[in-house]
Structure formats: structure tokens, C-alpha cells
Amino acid sequence: QVELEESGGGSVQAGGSLRLSCAIFGYIYKSYCMAWFRQVPGKERQGVAAIDSRGKRYYADSVNGRFTISKDNDKNTLVLQMNSLIPADTAVYYCAAEGVPGDCSWFRDPNVFSDWGQGTQVTVSS
């Protein structure tokens, strides 16, 4: 079982940046998809970005060019660098993991992921 713990959330003004980290504990899948999701009250959890075990990256259109996902294998940490933040980015952000072969172009579906962190709040003010 993989345990995930997010950190790095906070409040920032529009145009600012935040860096989210997700510490990974326990068994590490040999082949995996790891992703960041976000959720606001009353709405479904939205896939933001993902990275597969080969290092290929995937982004939602709404964040492409502003967010960068990466994985530090030495520190066993998933990172989401968020730049040019806008108020619509306000949400609770979650990291997720699933052991799968191949790519994770399907990352937008939260039902596929079995391992989740507890979430970290990101608030962007105008």
C-alpha cells in the first residue's frame, strides 16, 4: 500500500506561484501513474496533471503552460509547481497514485486511482 502526504498549500495573490509536494511512503509501484487532482465544494474532483513511470507528463488544458508536474525519485516526492495562478485555481489539491502498465493518458478519471493523500488547500485571491 502506498501512503501519500501533501504539503505546500497556502494563500497567494493572482499571478503568484506555489509549489506542492507529495511525500510517498510504502510500496512503490514499478509501473505507475501519479497525478494531482483538485476539488472545490459541490464539484467533482478534477485531474490537473499526471506523470507516468517513464516520465511522460500530462496536463489538463486549464493548467497547461502554467503548472509543471515532476517526480523526485531520490526524495520519493511528487511535485506540482504552479505559476501564474488565477482565482479559478482555488481548490483542495490531492495527489494520487495507481500501479498500472503503460501510459496514464486516462488520468482525468479519479475512480481509477486507489491511493490518495489527505489534500492541501490552495487559495488564490484576485
Side-chain angles (χ1 to χ4, degrees):
Q1 182 179 357
V2 178
E3 294 186 7
L4 306 171
E5 184 174 319
E6 302 94 338
S7 60
S11 298
V12 65
Q13 289 192 329
S17 299
L18 282 174
R19 183 180 176 91
L20 304 183
S21 294
C22 175
I24 306 163
F25 303 96
Y27 174 72
I28 305 302
Y29 303 116
K30 183 176 181 179
S31 297
Y32 58 79
C33 180
M34 295 202 68
W36 287 96
F37 284 78
R38 65 187 182 189
Q39 189 170 27
V40 297
K43 292 192 176 181
E44 293 185 354
R45 200 164 287 191
Q46 176 192 28
V48 173
I51 187 168
D52 65 27
S53 50
R54 299 168 299 173
K56 186 175 180 180
R57 304 172 185 183
Y58 309 79
Y59 296 98
D61 290 344
S62 59
V63 306
N64 197 19
R66 299 188 298 121
F67 291 10
T68 301
I69 189 171
S70 60
K71 187 172 180 289
D72 187 330
N73 291 322
D74 290 338
K75 296 181 179 179
N76 231 17
T77 300
L78 183 71
V79 175
L80 185 68
Q81 177 66 43
M82 305 187 295
N83 299 327
S84 302
L85 285 161
I86 60 177
D89 294 322
T90 296
V92 177
Y93 283 71
Y94 300 87
C95 64
E98 182 61 39
V100 289
D103 68 30
C104 52
S105 54
W106 41 264
F107 77 94
R108 293 172 182 81
D109 184 358
N111 296 312
V112 181
F113 291 87
S114 54
D115 302 304
W116 292 87
Q118 80 288 350
T120 186
Q121 176 70 46
V122 171
T123 303
V124 184
S125 58
S126 57

